[in-house]
């Protein structure tokens, strides 16, 4: 049951290409995984796959199962180039249903959570989610103004971690307030030598860490809501750390 | 003494554009800084500046000193676009002399050193240097097969840290052997649960940390030369950490 597509002007191909944009993803209710690692992660996680798309060549290099209950499409190399945002695509793709806007209640969640306040760079966002996954975090909350995490560059840097932890779009004020009401620590982060040194606050099971925008850091009104704001001392002459590096150091330090 | 250039086919413009390639940089013995932050860092560090290049517009947005002892060139916006590898260039550039191939003797260096074994991604390399700078490291050694660090993407991610610490191209076998002879610890890193846990080895003033290739990790013959190989336990479901994230966690953990 493999359908072959050879024309780049085929309507399906045009629709898949539109998944590179947020508008296209919203309209079609799905997003595109590019590359065998991500497709394999989606299959392993039993993600809601909608279509498998591959070139003849790519089938030889992967152990793509042929019995998934979704339509399979064989495409040409030039169509693969059109669908991919990388210079040398592997030629294997899958579409996945966008998750339902989830109504996760911050009053009920457990574990460690990463809150992102207006983080902008897609590579940073993907790396932040991958690192939160590696650090054993339960989820990541994307505050208003944080970039869309189904865009190709974020997906590439996330390396499939969206299938391992919970991703939530929400208002950070609500989540911080809820954690504080439950007496769970919420650590802000700022480049301020008067903040608390990051390795002096102990380790926790249930808590939140907030990371801010690359250029401007966290918003002042959020900094005012946290239990403590943490600082990583800069020992050399760099002005700051990359946000994903800082978050990696903090997450591995704080998580019990 | 400002020379105005309005034609994109001007020979100087052609030469500057060639600085995007390694061949062009070697041939001309210089590299190009793109953006005010990097140019400002170079001026502050008294780096060997050769030329300042700017658009009329960019002069209004920066406090570029007009008394540097180098030629100034005013260019058009379209020339700026030609010189830059970013979609919206700030319109301010400088050329800097490539450092002399340095004969730093590993038998004599002090402090903490980061060794890079075949790290490939330009963004990772730049972030590694910036993070080593922030962690107070003395220098970074680029082993054979590690990507060139004067390419635009590395420079962008380094954010000027090349002016703050020593960067050396060298054979890592020599450097590891030298450190071991001096009884200085050399920590390798590997994704191997039988390696030593990274937070169980203490803190050091003089030591080296080796980070390996994104896909393959460190070369086996180098892993065999180190004093200890370290492992960061993965608590979630991610297969690994990004190399720059892992290095950030290790550098801040190990550096006294």
């Amino acid at each position: 049951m493999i359908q072959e597509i050879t024309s780049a002007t085929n309507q399906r191909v045009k629709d898949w290409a539109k998944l590179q944009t947020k508008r296209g993803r919203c309209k079609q209710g799905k997003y595109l995984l590019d590359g065998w690692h991500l497709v394999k992660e989606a299959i392993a996680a039993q993600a809601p796959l909608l279509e498998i798309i591959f070139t003849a060549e790519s089938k030889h290099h992967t152990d793509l199962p042929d019995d998934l209950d979704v339509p399979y499409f064989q495409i040409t190399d030039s169509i693969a180039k059109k669908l991919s945002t990388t210079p040398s695509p592997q030629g294997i793709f899958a579409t996945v249903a966008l998750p339902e806007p989830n109504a996760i209640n911050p009053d009920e969640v457990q574990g460690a959570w990463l809150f992102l306040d207006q983080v902008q760079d897609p590579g940073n966002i993907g790396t932040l989610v991958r690192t939160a996954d590696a650090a054993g975090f339960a989820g990541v909350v994307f505050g208003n103004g944080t970039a869309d995490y189904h865009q190709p560059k974020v997906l590439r840097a996330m390396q499939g971690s969206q299938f391992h932890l919970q991703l939530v779009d929400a208002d950070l004020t609500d989540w911080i307030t809820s954690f504080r009401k439950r007496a769970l620590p919420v650590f802000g982060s700022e480049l301020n030598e008067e903040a608390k040194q990051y390795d002096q606050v102990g380790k926790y099971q249930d808590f939140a860490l907030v990371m801010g925008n690359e250029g401007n850091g966290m918003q002042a009104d959020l900094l005012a809501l946290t239990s403590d704001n943490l600082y990583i001392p800069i020992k050399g002459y760099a002005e700051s750390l990359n946000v994903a590096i800082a978050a990696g150091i903090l997450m591995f330090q704080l998580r019990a």
Side-chain angles (χ1 to χ4, degrees), chain A:
Chain A
M1 286 274 293
I2 296 173
Q3 189 176 327
E4 225 177 302
I5 302 181
T6 54
S7 160
T9 57
N10 177 290
Q11 187 58 42
R12 277 190 208 277
V13 173
K14 285 186 191 167
D15 288 343
W16 290 329
K18 284 184 191 149
L19 298 178
Q20 287 173 12
T21 66
K22 183 163 188 172
R23 186 151 179 270
R25 292 190 292 274
C26 288
K27 218 167 156 183
Q28 298 178 50
K30 63 190 179 190
Y31 68 99
L32 186 76
L33 298 176
D34 177 355
W36 176 231
H37 179 76
L38 298 187
V39 174
K40 192 169 55 173
E41 286 278 345
I43 294 169
Q46 302 187 293
L49 286 174
L50 300 175
E51 295 148 313
I52 299 280
I53 305 153
F54 61 95
T55 60
E57 176 71 10
S58 77
K59 270 213 100 172
H60 300 297
H61 300 294
T62 62
D63 43 356
L64 178 66
D66 54 13
D67 58 351
L68 296 169
D69 189 21
V70 295
Y72 284 70
F73 297 91
Q74 183 169 323
I75 57 170
T76 62
D77 290 347
S78 69
I79 294 177
K81 271 201 192 291
K82 186 171 172 173
L83 298 188
S84 181
T85 54
T86 65
S88 19
Q90 293 176 1
I92 182 156
F93 305 85
T95 56
V96 183
L98 280 179
E100 293 290 317
N102 39 24
I104 295 183
N105 185 344
D107 294 343
E108 291 167 2
V109 299
Q110 293 193 307
W113 285 76
L114 177 65
F115 295 175
L116 301 183
D117 178 24
Q118 303 189 329
V119 178
Q120 287 303 311
D121 179 81
N124 283 342
I125 293 173
T127 304
L128 283 159
V129 173
R130 175 182 173 194
T131 309
D133 178 10
F137 273 50
V140 180
V141 182
F142 294 78
N144 309 326
T146 294
D148 175 28
Y149 51 86
H150 291 105
Q151 56 180 307
K153 277 189 189 169
V154 176
L155 293 170
R156 206 147 60 230
M158 260 195 311
Q159 299 221 345
S161 285
Q162 75 269 31
F163 302 125
H164 305 154
L165 36 64
Q166 299 189 72
L167 303 185
V168 186
D169 284 305
D171 186 313
L172 292 185
T173 305
D174 296 345
W175 276 66
I176 297 174
T177 308
S178 165
F179 271 53
R180 294 299 312 277
K181 267 194 199 138
R182 296 168 64 197
L184 300 178
V186 177
F187 297 107
S189 53
E190 59 176 332
L191 204 55
N192 173 359
E193 295 181 32
E194 304 195 351
K196 253 194 198 170
Q197 199 169 311
Y198 76 107
D199 52 0
Q200 309 293 321
V201 293
K203 289 184 176 286
Y204 301 85
Q205 292 282 356
D206 302 300
F207 70 100
L209 168 67
V210 195
M211 300 304 300
N213 174 267
E214 286 87 350
N216 306 318
M218 276 177 64
Q219 298 178 74
D221 56 341
L222 294 183
L223 279 169
L225 293 178
T226 59
S227 352
D228 265 317
N229 293 317
L230 304 181
Y231 167 69
I232 301 176
I234 302 285
K235 296 176 185 169
Y237 303 96
E239 280 181 15
S240 63
L241 286 164
N242 165 281
V243 61
I245 300 285
I249 294 167
L250 294 172
M251 287 193 278
F252 275 83
Q253 181 69 40
L254 295 170
R255 178 88 164 88

